[in-house]
Amino acid sequence: MPNIVVIGAQWGDEGKGRIVDLLSKGVDIVARYQGGNNAGHTIVIGEEKVILHHLPSGILRENKLSVIGNGVVVDPGVLLKEVAGLRAAGYRVDSSNLRISDRTHIIMPYHREIDVAREALKGEGKIGTTGRGIGPVYEDKAARRGIKLADLIDPECFRERLADVLEERNAYITKVLGGEPLSFDSIYEEYSEYGEILKEFSCDVSGLLNKALSEGGSILFEGAQGALLDIDLGTYPYVTSSSASSGGACTGTGVSPTKIDVVLGVAKAYTTRVGEGPFPSEIHGDEGKRLRDAGAEYGSTTGRPRRCGWFDAVALRYAATTNGISSLAITKLDVLSGFESINMCVGYKYRGETLTTFPSSCSALAECEPVYEEVPGWSENVSDVTEFEELPEGARNYIRKIEELTGVGVHAVSLGPSREKILFLSELA
Ligand code: IMP
């Protein structure tokens, strides 16, 4: 099996979890490499729906090692609840199938506090974050005042690091954000306990992965969020704070780019976005609501309604180029059944010009008007189709049009949330 990076090719929520769940059957290790519990990966197994926030989707398969890389940020209380929930549902989660990098940064209570207070202060200009403390924890990492798992599990080191950083963060919370200071003692006590429990999972993940590779093992790198939410290449500042691009798989696990064989981009057959920021192909009004209802487009982490729009080939081409996407998985094609015609965004109108490339400036993107190509839809319910050739002509043409517009071959098409509702069109390239 090749080493595969699976990334979201849009603004997140593309259905990566179910694709990773399927592909994980053939690999030895599944590794998360960025983001934290802002992610919500939904997997449907039979009648059961599992939503994973921290844990790699491979945790649901027997005999697979799941790994949380150094690029991920972990909220220990949330992680341990997730572990307890899975154990209660009959899944095995222990240090034989879950390892966490000792370099992983820890989300602390002041990160959540700062995230929520800042968004409230910004009002109209807010990012629309998930409120999980993601921006502030990556900010501390970059500012070199973060607390890593290795620090958390060493009581003396943790005491020193926490005392240092809490003094500074409390000053910020009280003087800038107008909040109440957080207590050192209660954080130290609660988080020391987490450290005690998490000790068994902690390891040098880079060393572990490189050893596995040298012994012929294969790894599936599971991205969270999406290419357009990447801190460097996304629609900044309306992005998350981590490297959601394929490159993040390397920096977020300590495995080199030369070890990656395939980059699989997961994209919905249409587009959604949660939170603020420009979205040229957004559909407002009743048609947007129709798509939201048909696709049950509500956030699996925050429950927020997702903004819905047509497939955007300009944005996807950009994601494909910047991430080296070698194959696509198109999800939720079934949701488009019943639309008489479908719009595909093939360019942007910007100040009298037609753009076919994605603008790097967010304010320019906000001014862009979509240029649509209208294609015929299909009326049939496709959710029970088992072969690509059995899809209605409109649906087959739609997939071929995505390939033509993006220049990337489609490997798989999903027609529903459960494991078996997927068609494979070609080998993974
Ligand atoms: P943060 O990651 O909580 O800081 O949020 C920053 C932006 O990324 C907001 O627009 C969020 O809605 C968005 N975001 C974060 N995680 C996800 C995700 O898993 N799916 C979709 N959007 C996300």
Side-chain angles (χ1 to χ4, degrees):
M1 188 80 171
N3 297 311
I4 308 166
V5 180
V6 175
I7 58 154
Q10 296 160 319
W11 277 287
D13 306 319
E14 298 90 350
K16 296 173 290 293
R18 55 127 48 243
I19 301 291
V20 171
D21 172 59
L22 275 174
L23 291 173
S24 62
K25 217 168 27 169
V27 299
D28 302 297
I29 303 175
V30 181
R32 271 278 308 263
Y33 60 85
Q34 45 72 230
N37 56 320
N38 47 350
H41 292 169
T42 307
I43 295 141
V44 177
I45 305 168
E47 299 292 295
E48 196 187 354
K49 181 167 158 181
V50 182
I51 301 179
L52 300 173
H53 296 288
H54 274 309
L55 294 168
S57 304
I59 202 77
L60 304 176
R61 294 217 179 252
E62 286 198 12
N63 306 320
K64 305 289 166 192
L65 179 62
S66 286
V67 156
I68 293 179
N70 57 276
V72 178
V73 287
V74 166
D75 188 324
V78 175
L79 171 70
L80 292 173
K81 265 203 200 112
E82 210 174 314
V83 168
L86 281 186
R87 284 177 179 160
Y91 291 95
R92 179 171 60 92
V93 187
D94 55 36
S95 59
S96 70
N97 68 341
L98 175 67
R99 306 313 301 270
I100 306 173
S101 168
D102 52 6
R103 293 186 172 99
T104 298
H105 279 249
I106 303 296
I107 303 173
M108 303 294 291
Y110 43 85
H111 293 133
R112 291 190 298 267
E113 177 104 5
I114 291 170
D115 193 3
V116 173
R118 262 190 200 151
E119 286 279 280
L121 273 183
K122 275 189 190 149
E124 283 284 285
K126 68 181 194 297
I127 302 287
T129 72
T130 58
R132 304 296 192 261
I134 303 299
V137 68
Y138 279 111
E139 184 180 315
D140 276 0
K141 174 176 173 174
R144 293 159 293 188
R145 59 172 175 244
I147 294 176
K148 297 191 288 184
L149 182 58
D151 307 327
L152 186 72
I153 63 182
D154 173 341
E156 267 325 294
C157 174
F158 179 44
R159 180 181 288 282
E160 260 174 49
R161 302 279 304 159
L162 181 63
D164 213 31
V165 67
L166 191 61
E167 192 183 341
E168 197 198 38
R169 297 286 76 191
N170 268 342
Y172 180 71
I173 288 169
T174 52
K175 293 189 183 131
V176 178
L177 300 175
E180 293 297 318
L182 276 69
S183 145
F184 174 90
D185 289 340
S186 69
I187 297 179
Y188 184 74
E189 195 182 321
E190 181 184 350
Y191 280 69
S192 296
E193 276 177 33
Y194 293 147
E196 247 332 279
I197 305 171
L198 290 178
K199 211 188 258 176
E200 70 160 303
F201 299 102
S202 167
C203 81
D204 168 11
V205 158
S206 170
L208 180 149
L209 294 180
N210 283 299
K211 180 165 182 290
L213 286 171
S214 69
E215 291 166 356
S218 54
I219 305 172
L220 198 163
F221 299 87
E222 177 177 8
Q225 289 82 47
L228 301 176
L229 287 173
D230 179 271
I231 182 75
D232 287 287
L233 297 163
T235 48
Y236 191 91
Y238 298 99
V239 292
T240 191
S241 299
S242 64
S243 300
S245 295
S246 56
C250 298
T251 54
T253 58
V255 170
S256 92
T258 52
K259 301 288 194 307
I260 310 287
D261 303 301
V262 169
V263 179
L264 177 68
V266 184
K268 272 182 195 160
Y270 46 97
T271 314
T272 62
R273 170 161 211 177
V274 205
E276 310 303 315
F279 180 179
S281 67
E282 181 167 11
I283 316 171
H284 301 277
D286 285 349
E287 213 165 25
K289 186 172 175 324
R290 182 177 164 193
L291 207 48
R292 180 176 312 120
D293 291 344
E297 295 295 353
Y298 295 88
S300 45
T301 297
T302 58
R304 291 181 289 177
R306 295 177 184 144
R307 299 157 66 191
C308 296
W310 298 116
F311 183 83
D312 184 341
V314 184
L316 200 67
R317 264 200 308 270
Y318 170 73
T321 308
T322 47
N323 289 277
I325 293 176
S326 49
S327 276
L328 281 171
I330 302 295
T331 58
K332 291 192 152 184
L333 185 69
D334 54 306
V335 172
L336 292 180
S337 284
F339 280 85
E340 208 165 280
S341 67
I342 299 170
N343 285 329
M344 301 183 87
C345 176
V346 294
Y348 298 146
K349 270 261 173 295
Y350 175 67
R351 298 190 178 179
E353 270 182 69
T354 301
L355 306 181
T356 51
T357 54
F358 198 69
S360 42
S361 141
C362 201
S363 53
L365 188 66
E367 276 187 50
C368 286
E369 294 287 335
V371 177
Y372 286 127
E373 200 173 313
E374 195 177 326
V375 298
W378 58 94
S379 56
E380 298 89 333
N381 178 341
V382 295
S383 45
D384 290 326
V385 169
T386 53
E387 298 291 335
F388 182 71
E389 285 66 32
E390 288 168 17
L391 283 172
E393 189 184 5
R396 276 183 282 126
N397 288 344
Y398 188 69
I399 294 296
R400 295 304 179 207
K401 187 80 187 170
I402 289 177
E403 291 184 321
E404 183 193 313
L405 290 172
T406 59
V408 185
V410 172
H411 163 67
V413 175
S414 85
L415 303 173
S418 54
R419 267 182 176 167
E420 64 284 358
K421 299 227 179 255
I422 190 153
L423 312 176
F424 292 98
L425 278 64
S426 60
E427 292 298 308
L428 260 183

